[in-house]
Amino acid sequence: MTRILVVEDDADVAMALRTLLTRAGYEVLAAADGRAGLRRLFADDPDLMVLDVGLPGLDGWQVLERTRDLTDLPVLLLTARGAESDRVRGLRAGADDYLPKPFGNDELLARIEALLRRAGPVRWAGAAQDEALRLVPERRSAVWRGAEVRLSDIEYRLLQVLVRNRGRVVTTDQLLDQVWDDPQGIGRDRVKFAVLRVRRKLQQAAGGQDTDPIEAVRGLGYRYRGDGAGAGGA
């Protein structure tokens, strides 16, 4: 089933969109602010995002910018402002379409259908195929060297962020921001211990072999290497 991520802070609008899209045969994923929207983007691999511009915290422009740094996922912007300058800004920032509020249900569905028809498989930066590791989003698990590894939601999101940035260092602050539901007040040691848990589970799945694909980069963060080489302490 095609999955649509709706990032909308107005509860009434969000409920109306959920009802409309569900009746049209889509699976709806919902987030009420920008940070939650980015976390669901990482965790749930949607096929399209419906993104409100006027979000609390990270606004829609910031969410769009971060999304475009990571993926070519189709994005339909919603906004109460219909000025030409706003539409141009959205399209130039990487949105695939733009729909001012209020909008008609039939037009929204038609625009979504058109975007999905044009879209190919969603591509992610750094998401090269890895022969050793396969993420299984519907089970919140990973298959590492042929063995399934059951992960908590936090552990799954952590591994997913690292894999999608394969070969690049992801800082501790970036992991806190993208993985934890409420990063405020959470110490950096939380990241360290979560990485240790993921490493331990991967090692156990590999029968105790030294096949740790996560490298600790001292003073910065962590990098997914994907080659199974030993990677040093956390």
Side-chain angles (χ1 to χ4, degrees):
M1 180 181 293
T2 300
R3 294 193 288 185
I4 296 178
L5 172 59
V6 175
V7 188
E8 169 62 65
D9 66 313
D10 186 307
D12 292 334
V13 175
M15 179 59 69
L17 287 170
R18 178 186 288 276
T19 300
L20 174 67
L21 295 173
T22 300
R23 288 176 177 172
Y26 299 110
E27 179 182 350
V28 179
L29 313 168
D33 60 65
R35 293 187 186 280
L38 287 172
R39 286 192 291 271
R40 296 222 67 167
L41 175 66
F42 273 103
D44 295 306
D45 291 328
D47 299 289
L48 181 143
M49 180 193 295
V50 176
L51 175 63
D52 182 33
V53 169
L55 297 171
L58 289 179
D59 65 22
W61 303 117
Q62 293 169 300
V63 173
L64 177 60
E65 180 180 8
R66 296 192 184 190
T67 298
R68 281 295 168 258
D69 286 341
L70 299 168
T71 177
D72 64 351
L73 175 82
V75 176
L76 172 61
L77 279 183
L78 299 180
T79 180
R81 296 175 295 182
E84 181 181 0
S85 59
D86 290 319
R87 295 197 298 271
V88 170
R89 179 184 178 185
L91 296 172
R92 285 180 173 171
D96 297 277
D97 203 352
Y98 190 103
L99 190 59
K101 300 177 183 177
F103 49 81
N105 291 345
D106 289 343
E107 181 180 6
L108 174 68
L109 290 175
R111 288 176 181 267
I112 288 174
E113 290 165 5
L115 289 177
L116 290 171
R117 280 198 305 269
R118 297 197 298 265
V122 175
R123 295 174 297 177
W124 288 83
Q129 291 295 318
D130 189 325
E131 294 182 359
L133 179 72
R134 178 170 58 87
L135 295 173
V136 187
E138 63 271 19
R139 292 174 60 86
R140 289 297 189 273
S141 67
V143 176
W144 172 243
R145 298 196 176 279
E148 185 172 19
V149 183
R150 300 307 298 269
L151 303 165
S152 69
D153 284 347
I154 290 292
E155 291 164 353
Y156 179 85
R157 292 203 296 262
L158 175 66
L159 185 57
Q160 189 176 51
V161 170
L162 291 171
V163 170
R164 284 180 172 165
N165 288 277
R166 177 178 178 171
R168 299 197 299 268
V169 175
V170 184
T171 69
T172 300
D173 288 340
Q174 287 173 329
L175 289 171
L176 279 170
D177 185 49
Q178 296 178 25
V179 174
W180 273 263
D181 291 331
D182 183 7
Q184 300 299 321
I186 296 179
R188 292 184 168 199
D189 281 347
R190 187 75 65 89
V191 177
K192 175 181 177 179
F193 292 131
V195 171
L196 287 173
R197 290 196 303 271
V198 172
R199 283 175 157 177
R200 189 178 302 118
K201 289 183 177 184
L202 295 177
Q203 188 174 33
Q204 290 171 348
Q209 301 176 38
D210 184 17
T211 57
D212 185 356
I214 301 173
E215 176 184 13
V217 181
R218 189 175 299 277
L220 292 177
Y222 299 89
R223 173 168 50 212
Y224 178 78
R225 295 173 48 154
D227 58 2

